[in-house]
Amino acid sequence: MPTLHSPDLRTAEVARRAGYSVQQVRNLERDGVLPPAARTESGYRVYREVHVRCALAYRALAAGTGPVEAKRIMRAVNGNPREAFAMLDAAHARLHTERTDLRLAEKAAEAISAEPIHDVSPADSMSVSELATALGVRPSTLRHWDTEGLVVPDRDESRGARRRYSPAQVRDARIVHQLRAAGYRIGPLQALMPQVRLGNRGEDLATALAAREASITTRSQALLDAAAALSAVMSGDAVV
């Protein structure tokens, strides 16, 4: 059973076990993800089991939090463990918030997309400022959604081509607002909203929300995988 203080390892062995190239291992050491390696008299790097565990922990963290945050956490692990624990707590808290927001988005989007729209008239439309107030967003946000093709309003030519949102467009804006709050980026919404406008609201929204939940679950699993490696590194215990 190897321990964190097992015999010396070469760079190639660390790379093989961690799933990186030799150059990537060197880069991880340079970036502070791995603790500094010892050197032989001839200048060759000498690694130990702790370096393998740090590399594996970084790989899992990168999948769970993104590479930038993962590097910050690993630097703290190697220099300020107290800060590392706080950062890990924050990472789990963010995922919890995402799950909570997703549940709210699921309920809201389901209710919004099921709302009937009948017997509407031009008087039922809303201006940019009216809709922005109703949603609690800035007017510039609605203009940005228009530019990106997410919610494209009508234009009132009698009033200088000002934007006017029909009831259907207001509903689309409410859906976009909920999904943005749940963490959806502009790109995926650009692919989703045309289908929503074609009437496939229920099925497409359910698919999109399920994909979002799968993403959160994958990142949660990655943080769990990182915990085992980090526990060995930060406690100094034997590695199974």
Side-chain angles (χ1 to χ4, degrees):
M1 177 184 296
T3 70
L4 298 186
H5 305 290
S6 294
D8 299 344
L9 300 172
R10 295 186 177 183
T11 308
E13 176 66 9
V14 175
R16 182 187 67 78
R17 291 178 56 189
Y20 289 112
S21 69
V22 168
Q23 186 59 51
Q24 285 175 320
V25 170
R26 293 171 181 157
N27 292 345
L28 292 178
E29 181 188 352
R30 177 201 65 197
D31 294 340
V33 171
L34 309 184
R39 296 275 185 162
T40 65
E41 292 184 358
S42 55
Y44 289 101
R45 289 176 173 85
V46 176
Y47 294 101
R48 292 187 178 276
E49 187 69 18
V50 66
H51 294 94
V52 176
R53 290 295 154 179
C54 282
L56 291 171
Y58 169 72
R59 175 181 287 279
L61 284 172
T65 69
V68 174
E69 181 68 8
K71 286 182 180 180
R72 291 181 61 236
I73 293 173
M74 290 308 301
R75 291 189 193 106
V77 167
N78 295 320
N80 186 348
R82 181 178 177 181
E83 181 182 356
F85 282 123
M87 295 168 70
L88 287 167
D89 288 345
H92 285 286
R94 285 193 297 271
L95 283 174
H96 173 70
T97 298
E98 287 189 43
R99 284 190 184 279
T100 301
D101 290 344
L102 179 63
R103 293 293 176 264
L104 293 174
E106 288 173 338
K107 293 179 180 179
E110 180 179 356
I112 293 168
S113 62
E115 291 176 354
I117 299 179
H118 301 298
D119 302 324
V120 297
S121 67
D124 297 315
S125 64
M126 300 178 72
S127 67
V128 170
S129 60
E130 289 171 337
L131 181 55
T133 299
L135 294 178
V137 301
R138 296 179 179 180
S140 60
T141 298
L142 293 176
R143 296 187 184 99
H144 179 60
W145 293 352
D146 182 5
T147 300
E148 297 295 339
L150 300 182
V151 183
V152 181
D154 297 326
R155 298 283 182 162
D156 188 345
E157 299 299 336
S158 67
R159 297 186 179 182
R162 292 182 180 179
R163 294 175 174 86
R164 297 293 299 181
Y165 292 84
S166 69
Q169 292 157 356
V170 168
R171 183 167 63 179
D172 289 349
R174 292 171 65 192
I175 291 173
V176 169
H177 179 51
Q178 290 296 330
L179 294 182
R180 287 288 287 160
Y184 279 84
R185 297 183 177 181
I186 294 296
L189 285 175
Q190 286 174 323
L192 172 64
M193 291 311 294
Q195 296 302 314
V196 170
R197 285 190 286 273
L198 286 175
N200 300 324
R201 287 179 168 82
E203 180 179 348
D204 287 317
L205 282 176
T207 298
L209 290 167
R212 181 65 177 173
E213 182 167 17
S215 171
I216 295 173
T217 298
T218 296
R219 285 180 286 142
S220 293
Q221 181 63 56
L223 287 181
L224 184 62
D225 293 341
L230 286 174
S231 178
V233 171
M234 298 176 79
S235 68
D237 291 340
V239 179
V240 178

